Amino acid sequence: MSAVFVIKVFGFSQSSSTEDKENKGVSKMERQKKSEMHINDDDTNDTNKLSDLPDHLLLHIIEFMNTKQSVQTCVLSKRWKDLWKNRTNLKFLHSYPDKSPTFCKFVSQILSCRDTSIPLHSVHFEHVGHVNPPKTTLLEVMKYAVSHNVQQLTVNAEVKYLRDLELSPYIFSCQSLTFLKLGFWQRYDSNGTMFPKSLNLPSLKILHLLDFTFTTSDNGCAEPFSKCKMLNTLVIISCHLQDDAQALCISNSEVSSLTIGSNNLYVKEDRNYKVVFSTPKLTSLTINGPPSFEAPSASNLPFLEEVYIDYITYYYKPYEGRVMISWLQLLANVKIMKLSSDALDLILLALKMTGSVAIQPPSFVKLKSLKVQFSSGTMVCYERVTRMVKFLLQNSPRARVDIIKRTTKLFSYRVST
C-alpha cells in the first residue's frame, strides 16, 4: 500500500501519494477545482465552529471590529443576524473623501436598529473633512449616548460653518459619564462653541475640551469645573473666555493632572487670558502650544511634582517672554521637568531679552530630573544643549539631565552647582 501524506497550510489542503505520480491523466483544471473545494469546506467548517461559540463570546469578538464591519457579520448566518445590535461600544469615523450624507445616514440607521434595552459603554463619533457634519447628526449621536447611560463619550468634528452650534444641557448633566472628550474645530469663528457655566457630571473622572468659549459665572470669572467631585484629569486646548470674563478659574479639589494650551500658532496678545488655579491635589501639569494664557500670580500647589512645557512659536514676541518667566517662577518646586527643545530656546531667550537687565534663572530647589526632548529628524548639537541647560540650572541643585528624541535617549549627565 502506498503512503499517503496530507498537507494543510493556512487553510489550503492537498493530498499527495506515490500513485499521484502515475496518474498523469488528471488535468491542471481538475486539480485546481479540487483545491478550491477543500478551501471552501475549510472556510465553512471554520465559520460553523465560530458560530458554535456562546453569544457573549461572539459579541466580545464583534466589539473589536469597527461598527460597519460588525454589521456586515449579519450575512454569515442566522445566528449572526442580530448580534451586532447588542454592541456596547459604537465607533463612527468619517474622513475625506468619504461621502458625508452616506455616513450620516449610516449612523442614524445604526442608532435606530440597535437594541435599546442594552446600556452603552462608549460612543466615539469623529467627522473630519471638507464637508460639515449635519448638526442634527451631531446632536442625535450625543442625545442617544446620554439616554442610554453611556460611560465614555468622544465627539470630534470640524464645524467650520456651524457658528450657532449649541449643545443641549443633557450632555453636561449625564449621571453615568466617566469620560468626556469634546472637540469642535471652528476655523472661521475664533469664538468657539459656548460652554455652560457649570457641569453636573457627578461620575466624571476625565474631561478633554477643544475649542470652547467659557461663559462668565456670577463672580465675573468662568468657573465650570468646581462641581465635578470625581474629576482627576482635565485637558483644555484652544479654549477662550467670554468677552466680559475676568479669568478662567480652574477650581477643583480632586484634579491631579492638568493640560492647558493651544494648537493655534497665531495667538494674538489681546486673546491671552488669565487663569487661576485652585487645585490643591495637582501633581502633573502640561503646558503646550504658543503662550495663550498667563501664569497665576499666586497659587498653592503643594503636591505639584511633574511639569512638561512644549511651547511652540515661529519668532520671539516680548509678551511670550513675560508669560514664560511668570510660569518658571510658579514651577520653582517641581521635581521632574520636561521641556521641548523649542521651549528651552524660548525660555533662555526670554531670560536674556526681558527688560533692559538680564533676569537670573529661577532656582528649582527640588529638581531631580530635567528632560529635553527633540522631535525626530532634528539635528542636536550636544555642546549647545549642554551650555543651555547649564545656564538654566545655574541656581538649582544637582539634577539629572536626559536629552531625548521622542522616546529614544541620546545621552544623559548630571549638572551640579
Side-chain angles (χ1 to χ4, degrees):
M1 183 180 294
S2 60
V4 178
F5 303 90
V6 179
I7 306 172
K8 185 173 181 180
V9 180
F10 298 110
F12 293 85
S13 298
Q14 183 178 358
S15 297
S16 177
S17 70
T18 55
E19 295 177 355
D20 291 339
K21 298 180 181 179
E22 299 175 359
N23 187 9
K24 300 183 183 288
V26 180
S27 67
K28 181 177 180 181
M29 182 177 296
E30 290 174 339
R31 290 196 300 271
Q32 183 175 355
K33 288 181 178 180
K34 289 182 179 181
S35 178
E36 291 176 352
M37 290 177 64
H38 281 296
I39 295 172
N40 292 333
D41 289 342
D42 290 337
D43 289 346
T44 302
N45 291 334
D46 290 341
T47 302
N48 290 335
K49 291 178 181 178
L50 193 61
S51 295
D52 289 339
L53 295 174
D55 283 354
H56 72 277
L57 289 181
L58 294 179
L59 185 58
H60 183 68
I61 294 172
I62 287 178
E63 295 283 8
F64 285 97
M65 305 177 184
N66 64 43
T67 306
K68 183 177 181 180
Q69 290 172 338
S70 69
V71 174
Q72 291 172 339
T73 62
C74 67
V75 302
L76 294 177
S77 68
K78 293 182 179 179
R79 174 77 187 285
W80 292 79
K81 182 179 178 181
D82 295 323
L83 277 175
W84 69 269
K85 297 179 181 179
N86 299 324
R87 286 191 60 147
T88 59
N89 300 288
L90 298 178
K91 194 170 186 178
F92 305 106
L93 304 179
H94 170 274
S95 60
Y96 180 83
D98 295 341
K99 295 182 179 180
S100 183
T102 303
F103 169 77
C104 293
K105 183 179 179 180
F106 170 75
V107 171
S108 295
Q109 289 176 338
I110 295 300
L111 298 183
S112 62
C113 294
R114 182 183 172 275
D115 187 346
T116 57
S117 66
I118 298 176
L120 280 169
H121 178 261
S122 69
V123 173
H124 185 129
F125 178 90
E126 188 166 339
H127 190 290
V128 181
H130 68 292
V131 178
N132 237 32
K135 185 191 305 185
T136 53
T137 302
L138 282 174
L139 298 179
E140 179 186 14
V141 169
M142 290 185 281
K143 184 176 182 179
Y144 183 91
V146 171
S147 63
H148 290 79
N149 299 318
V150 68
Q151 297 180 40
Q152 300 181 6
L153 175 61
T154 298
V155 180
N156 189 17
E158 185 172 356
V159 290
K160 54 190 175 184
Y161 300 117
L162 295 182
R163 303 194 179 192
D164 58 343
L165 176 64
E166 294 183 5
L167 301 180
S168 299
Y170 55 76
I171 300 171
F172 302 109
S173 59
C174 179
Q175 304 296 297
S176 59
L177 269 178
T178 61
F179 175 97
L180 178 60
K181 185 175 183 179
L182 297 176
F184 301 102
W185 314 342
Q186 303 195 39
R187 295 183 182 180
Y188 306 113
D189 185 359
S190 58
N191 290 327
T193 303
M194 300 301 293
F195 199 74
K197 291 183 179 181
S198 64
L199 303 177
N200 182 23
L201 301 171
S203 302
L204 190 67
K205 297 180 180 179
I206 301 174
L207 176 62
H208 290 241
L209 299 175
L210 170 66
D211 208 354
F212 277 91
T213 295
F214 297 116
T215 54
T216 307
S217 300
D218 296 336
N219 60 0
C221 297
E223 191 176 352
F225 313 114
S226 59
K227 295 182 180 180
C228 299
K229 302 302 182 182
M230 299 290 290
L231 188 65
N232 57 56
T233 301
L234 177 61
V235 179
I236 304 172
I237 302 296
S238 294
C239 293
H240 310 284
L241 285 175
Q242 199 173 17
D243 292 339
D244 60 346
Q246 299 176 10
L248 170 62
C249 183
I250 302 176
S251 176
N252 192 287
S253 59
E254 297 299 321
V255 168
S256 60
S257 176
L258 172 63
T259 297
I260 186 168
S262 174
N263 58 9
N264 184 359
L265 294 178
Y266 301 99
V267 176
K268 297 180 180 179
E269 184 173 1
D270 59 3
R271 294 290 293 177
N272 282 9
Y273 58 87
K274 295 181 179 180
V275 60
V276 176
F277 286 172
S278 181
T279 50
K281 292 186 179 180
L282 189 66
T283 59
S284 176
L285 175 63
T286 298
I287 309 165
N288 60 23
S292 57
F293 49 91
E294 300 176 9
S297 56
S299 184
N300 183 20
L301 303 175
F303 299 108
L304 184 62
E305 293 190 353
E306 187 171 358
V307 172
Y308 176 40
I309 303 178
D310 185 18
Y311 273 149
I312 302 173
T313 185
Y314 281 145
Y315 58 91
Y316 179 79
K317 308 176 189 70
Y319 78 88
E320 290 182 345
R322 294 194 299 270
V323 171
M324 288 296 299
I325 292 175
S326 67
W327 276 107
L328 289 179
Q329 294 170 347
L330 178 68
L331 307 176
N333 292 320
V334 298
K335 296 179 180 179
I336 301 172
M337 181 181 295
K338 184 178 177 182
L339 304 174
S340 67
S341 56
D342 289 337
L344 179 60
D345 279 331
L346 183 58
I347 288 173
L348 297 182
L349 193 57
L351 290 171
K352 294 178 179 179
M353 297 184 64
T354 301
S356 57
V357 180
I359 297 177
Q360 287 294 315
S363 176
F364 302 104
V365 294
K366 297 182 180 180
L367 189 65
K368 295 181 178 179
S369 173
L370 172 65
K371 297 180 180 180
V372 182
Q373 178 173 298
F374 288 80
S375 58
S376 60
T378 303
M379 296 297 295
V380 181
C381 177
Y382 303 118
E383 293 182 0
R384 179 175 179 271
V385 174
T386 301
R387 290 195 304 269
M388 294 168 67
V389 169
K390 187 174 182 180
F391 177 79
L392 179 63
L393 301 183
Q394 62 182 278
N395 297 327
S396 304
R398 185 177 183 180
R400 178 185 177 87
V401 179
D402 294 318
I403 310 300
I404 58 178
K405 272 192 177 182
R406 291 197 173 180
T407 58
T408 303
K409 184 183 295 184
L410 299 180
F411 69 94
S412 62
Y413 60 93
R414 287 191 177 274
V415 173
S416 58
T417 57

